[in-house]
Amino acid sequence: MKRSTMITGTSLSRFFALFNPLRAIRDFRSVWMQENPYRWRFALVSLVATCSIFSVMFQEEHRIEPRAPEITWITTFDPNRTDAEIMASNIANQKEQDRLKAEREAREAQTREVYETIGRVSGIDVEAARKEGEAERAAQKKAEEEARQRALAEIEARQGN
């Protein structure tokens, strides 16, 4: 096991030695220093070839025209509705929202009762937990009401301008 790891490590180090930049620079320097009457010509041809390839690459330009956005119009409402129809629709929607909110609050109250029963059986101070929960709900309701009042004030300010 140790010998195979050593062989693998040696072969990997030989493999990575082929890509050593310092070795490449030393090799280039030793070849460049050798007396060769054509070295400047080869350097010039290499430079011209490299510059030609890069100039062609930089001049190419491919732009794609952006697609026009697809517009989806809301078609569920009749555009010729009267204000009375709009108000009736809003009132019906608000009644539905109030009904859903009342159902949710009833479910939450029932859940609280179950937890209170479990708490009493477990020996937890249920009254303190209830007061804390009520305080949290009151604070949340107050924050929601303040946010609603701010939104209404912003709407009225925009309509006033």
Side-chain angles (χ1 to χ4, degrees), residues 3 8 20 24-25 30-31 44 49 55 66 71 81 87 94 96 100 107 111 118 133 151 155:
R3 186 165 187 237
T8 307
N20 187 347
I25 292 169
S30 68
V31 170
L44 183 63
S55 68
I71 299 173
R81 294 185 308 162
M87 279 199 246
Q94 187 60 47
E96 179 67 16
L100 292 173
R107 280 193 308 270
T111 304
I118 293 171
I155 290 170

Side-chain angles (χ1 to χ4, degrees), residues 73-89:
W73 298 97
I74 299 174
T75 58
T76 56
F77 294 122
D78 181 20
N80 300 324
R81 294 185 308 162
T82 64
D83 287 342
E85 291 173 333
I86 292 171
M87 279 199 246
S89 170

